[in-house]
Amino acid sequence: MGPATPGDPGGDPSSGDDLPETAPAPAVPPGATPLPDADSGAEPPLSPLRPRASTALVVLATLAVGYTLWAAQDVILPILLAVFFALIGNPIIRGLQRLFIPRAIGAMLVLLLGLAGAVALGSQLVEPASEWARQVPREMRDLAPKLRELTKPMKAANEAAEDFARATDGEDGKPVEVVRTEVNDPYKSLTTTPMMIASVLAVVLLTFFFMVYGENLQRNALSLLPTRQQKRVTVEIMQSIEREISRYVLTISVINALVGLALAGILYLLEVPLAEALLWGTMAMILNFAPYVGPLLGIIIMLMMGFVAFDELWMSLLPAGIYLGLHTLEGQILTPIVLGRQMRLSPLVLILALMLFGWLWGIIGLLLAVPLLVCVKIVLARIEGLEGWARLFE
């Protein structure tokens, strides 16, 4: 039997020539995701929720933020200082509200008491500070022989090394001395003083407004959230963050004030005049806000004060030893007991933060580095999915 033609009903059905033709697969437009095959059972590929930023873009954004923080420090620092002082005053204002005192009146009372205390303390410290500024050059000239006696072996070794290096290089002449002249701008002080006064007034006004209208600002910001659930969770997070940060800042301020008062009292018992003892106690309180760096500067200043105020060697070293003992007692025993482990920070992270903020904002950056670091740690610990980053700070 010969082969059947396509139209022949006697053809072989197994050949598939008479089977109905299947419709061709629709063409996929360029750039579209192809549909999965129904028979293959393959799942469609999941599209990413958001594009991942490149490493170069992240680095450029970080550099841009750092430059902005440095360039806009005249605007940022008054705001940060005002927030810092408002966090100190918020627990006191809440206590006054429990006594049925309105928030605005309580904020005014707290601010006026703080300003009165600062002015009273400053008026007591201006005279001894100016007196020390006048006495330091003369006292340093009197102190120079003692320091030369202490550093005589090191100076002799240094001179021997220089002579050996000069003989090796064959240099007989004296080293060239470079004389530098400094031109003082008489208008610099005239422009700096009004700017400083304006910055102080800005900090005072911003502190008052943050105390009074901070809660309204939070409430208006929460109204931007779309759902009630998001608002409720955000309110809980913000209240816990504000409460814990206020507690931390107020506690640290009280502890540092106690350290300053203790140092001033001990110096007064060592027959240091009361005004000078208050000056060194205030210095210790302020420097204690900057861990490691502040106490190190305080020990150096206490050494200089001891050598100037006392004649005996052991009495000259006593103020620095007392300051070191108070700082050790506060840092190793008092603060960990009061604040607990929740506010503990890694020394390495703390040093890096001090270097960063000190480079950005100077002495104010050193004072604000620890509160800012604690704020970041608390925020990361409260946000779901970022708890691991908060543990990096411990």
Side-chain angles (χ1 to χ4, degrees):
M1 180 182 297
T5 59
D8 188 1
D12 189 3
S14 62
S15 62
D17 293 336
D18 294 336
L19 294 177
E21 297 181 357
T22 59
V28 179
T33 303
L35 296 175
D37 190 359
D39 297 333
S40 61
E43 295 292 336
L46 297 177
S47 59
L49 297 179
R50 59 183 178 182
R52 294 178 60 88
S54 62
T55 304
L57 185 61
V58 172
V59 172
L60 290 177
T62 304
L63 293 177
V65 170
Y67 177 78
T68 303
L69 293 176
W70 173 79
Q73 57 182 309
D74 294 335
V75 178
I76 295 175
L77 289 183
I79 297 175
L80 291 178
L81 286 174
V83 172
F84 179 76
F85 294 137
L87 289 175
I88 296 176
N90 277 339
I92 304 175
I93 295 174
R94 283 195 293 267
L96 294 176
Q97 283 182 310
R98 297 189 185 97
L99 300 177
F100 304 101
I101 297 178
R103 188 174 184 85
I105 298 178
M108 182 65 69
L109 290 175
V110 171
L111 189 60
L112 290 178
L113 288 176
L115 290 176
V119 171
L121 184 61
S123 62
Q124 295 292 327
L125 300 181
V126 167
E127 183 177 354
S130 59
E131 183 66 23
W132 267 91
R134 289 191 298 266
Q135 289 182 358
V136 162
R138 183 177 67 252
E139 297 292 344
M140 291 303 295
R141 286 194 297 268
D142 297 338
L143 186 61
K146 298 180 182 178
L147 296 178
R148 280 197 295 268
E149 290 295 329
L150 292 176
T151 59
K152 185 178 291 184
M154 298 178 60
K155 185 176 180 181
N158 190 19
E159 290 178 354
E162 290 180 357
D163 293 338
F164 178 76
R166 191 179 299 112
T168 304
D169 296 338
E171 297 179 359
D172 297 330
K174 296 182 179 180
V176 179
E177 296 183 358
V178 179
V179 179
R180 297 182 179 180
T181 58
E182 181 179 357
V183 179
N184 295 323
D185 189 0
Y187 299 100
K188 186 175 181 180
S189 59
L190 296 178
T191 57
T192 303
T193 304
M195 292 178 61
M196 185 179 298
I197 296 175
S199 298
V200 172
L201 292 177
V203 170
V204 173
L205 291 176
L206 286 173
T207 302
F208 176 75
F209 288 131
F210 274 120
M211 287 179 178
V212 177
Y213 300 107
E215 292 184 352
N216 293 333
L217 181 63
Q218 294 179 6
R219 192 178 301 111
N220 294 332
L222 290 173
S223 64
L224 301 176
L225 297 177
T227 63
R228 184 181 298 273
Q229 177 69 15
Q230 291 179 351
K231 292 180 181 179
R232 185 181 63 82
V233 174
T234 306
V235 166
E236 293 177 357
I237 293 176
M238 293 179 65
Q239 288 178 351
S240 61
I241 290 173
E242 194 270 342
R243 182 173 58 253
E244 292 178 6
I245 293 178
S246 298
R247 170 177 168 268
Y248 169 80
V249 173
L250 181 61
T251 304
I252 286 296
S253 301
V254 172
I255 291 175
N256 293 343
L258 291 176
V259 171
L261 288 175
L263 180 62
I266 295 174
L267 291 178
Y268 181 71
L269 293 177
L270 294 177
E271 299 182 353
V272 176
L274 179 60
E276 294 184 7
L278 290 177
L279 174 65
W280 304 124
T282 305
M283 176 214 68
M285 180 188 69
I286 295 175
L287 290 179
N288 214 36
F289 281 99
Y292 303 109
V293 179
L296 180 60
L297 292 176
I299 291 174
I300 295 174
I301 295 174
M302 286 293 100
L303 279 174
M304 295 176 59
M305 187 275 291
F307 278 110
V308 170
F310 303 101
D311 295 330
E312 295 85 359
L313 179 60
W314 71 273
M315 286 294 295
S316 300
L317 299 176
L318 187 58
I322 293 172
Y323 178 76
L324 179 60
L326 288 175
H327 171 68
T328 304
L329 181 66
E330 175 267 328
Q332 302 298 325
I333 299 177
L334 183 59
T335 300
I337 290 177
V338 174
L339 292 179
R341 183 178 177 81
Q342 186 177 4
M343 299 297 178
R344 188 173 299 176
L345 297 173
S346 170
L348 177 59
V349 176
L350 196 54
I351 289 294
L352 294 177
L354 290 171
M355 292 176 60
L356 176 62
F357 289 107
W359 171 71
L360 282 176
W361 299 327
I363 185 65
I364 299 180
L366 292 176
L367 298 179
L368 293 178
V370 179
L372 290 177
L373 204 61
V374 170
C375 292
V376 173
K377 180 184 176 182
I378 293 177
V379 170
L380 293 177
R382 292 288 179 177
I383 297 177
E384 185 179 357
L386 299 179
E387 299 88 349
W389 292 96
R391 286 193 290 271
L392 290 178
F393 289 82
E394 298 179 354

